[in-house]
Amino acid sequence: MSIANSQPFRPHHLDPDVRPSEADIESVLLSHDQIQNRVAELGAQISRDYAGKDPVFVSVLVGAFMFTGDLLRNITIPCSLDFMAISSYGKESRSSGVVRVMKDLDESVESRHVIIIEDIIDTGLTLNYLLENIRNRNVASVKVAAFLDKPSRRLTDVKVDYAGFEVPDEFVIGYGLDFAQRYRNFPYVGILRPEVYGGK
Ligand code: IMP
């Protein structure tokens, strides 16, 4: 297909006839542009902080997939990328604190500088588990880059070294974040109507 002759891109999720799940969104919290600008800043900051350290990014699937893609595009130093998949909420909207590794790293991270990439830190229970898991692999260092931080809900004292945005205590979706596996494809972050997940 010729790019010059192609039609303007019209994302299907903006068309309510094609994408009725848009109606499940109460409001847009972070626009696509806001997200892109902030992720570029984080990428520049991490690139400066890790110059000469050849870090390995550990992306936590599935929620962090979109953040990982955009963040890595903004990393300008040599680095590598690996993935871990862990059990998530399923159809529940709140953390159980029970974490199960569904897919482990492909490569050893021993003696490496690790940066965990997470979608959102809510209670912090998942991150707490991951930090312990990674530290047990004799890494040189481990830090955390989280797209969103919801500090008001914290149940454990975990530090987020690189946070994209602080968000209020609302259930948010989009840009990788789901409810019951839906909405991950939205290029912005929206607040989900509580009726949808049976919340407040
Ligand atoms: P935590 O263990 O309570 O910190 O929860 C972390 C995980 O719960 C995240 O990686 C998300 O997958 C999920 N999560 C927490 N809050 C939200 C939300 O507002 N929307 C979507 N997923 C969430």
Side-chain angles (χ1 to χ4, degrees):
M1 187 179 73
S2 154
I3 292 173
N5 292 333
S6 65
Q7 294 296 309
F9 176 61
R10 181 166 163 70
H12 61 83
H13 60 270
L14 294 182
D15 187 338
D17 293 334
V18 180
R19 186 69 208 211
S21 57
E22 187 88 344
D24 296 344
I25 308 307
E26 191 167 272
S27 61
V28 174
L29 190 63
L30 300 166
S31 72
H32 177 69
D33 284 354
Q34 273 176 295
I35 293 171
Q36 294 305 315
N37 291 338
R38 180 67 186 129
V39 174
E41 282 176 4
L42 285 180
Q45 192 185 346
I46 293 173
S47 300
R48 280 194 302 275
D49 293 353
Y50 282 84
K53 288 189 170 173
D54 188 18
V56 52
F57 290 91
V58 169
S59 172
V60 184
L61 294 171
V62 175
F65 86 94
M66 211 178 273
F67 177 45
T68 300
D70 285 342
L71 183 66
L72 269 277
R73 260 186 281 263
N74 285 285
I75 298 295
T76 53
I77 55 167
C79 63
S80 47
L81 172 64
D82 207 338
F83 292 94
M84 258 178 107
I86 55 171
S87 61
S88 65
Y89 286 158
K91 286 194 190 309
E92 303 283 317
S93 68
R94 296 298 180 200
S95 186
S96 62
V98 178
V99 178
R100 207 151 46 106
V101 176
M102 315 298 280
K103 181 218 167 289
D104 205 351
L105 299 174
D106 288 335
E107 304 275 334
S108 165
V109 287
E110 193 174 340
S111 305
R112 300 287 304 273
H113 293 282
V114 175
I115 303 165
I116 296 174
I117 306 183
E118 262 282 25
D119 55 355
I120 184 167
I121 311 302
D122 189 29
T123 63
L125 295 172
T126 308
L127 180 58
N128 208 27
Y129 170 87
L130 279 169
L131 280 167
E132 200 181 309
N133 181 300
I134 296 291
R135 282 190 187 119
N136 283 339
R137 303 180 196 221
N138 298 321
V139 293
S141 70
V142 56
K143 285 198 176 179
V144 179
F147 172 54
L148 300 179
D149 189 6
K150 218 191 264 181
S152 59
R153 300 230 334 132
R154 212 61 110 247
L155 293 178
T156 129
D157 188 21
V158 285
K159 184 170 169 233
V160 181
D161 304 281
Y162 303 96
F165 300 90
E166 219 172 83
V167 292
D169 183 13
E170 302 278 0
F171 198 80
V172 292
I173 52 78
Y175 197 69
L177 290 123
D178 77 310
F179 172 64
Q181 303 303 332
R182 302 288 301 275
Y183 316 107
R184 291 194 199 275
N185 53 315
F186 287 20
Y188 56 81
V189 170
I191 295 177
L192 194 61
R193 288 188 191 284
E195 309 91 87
V196 179
Y197 62 89
K200 44 186 175 180

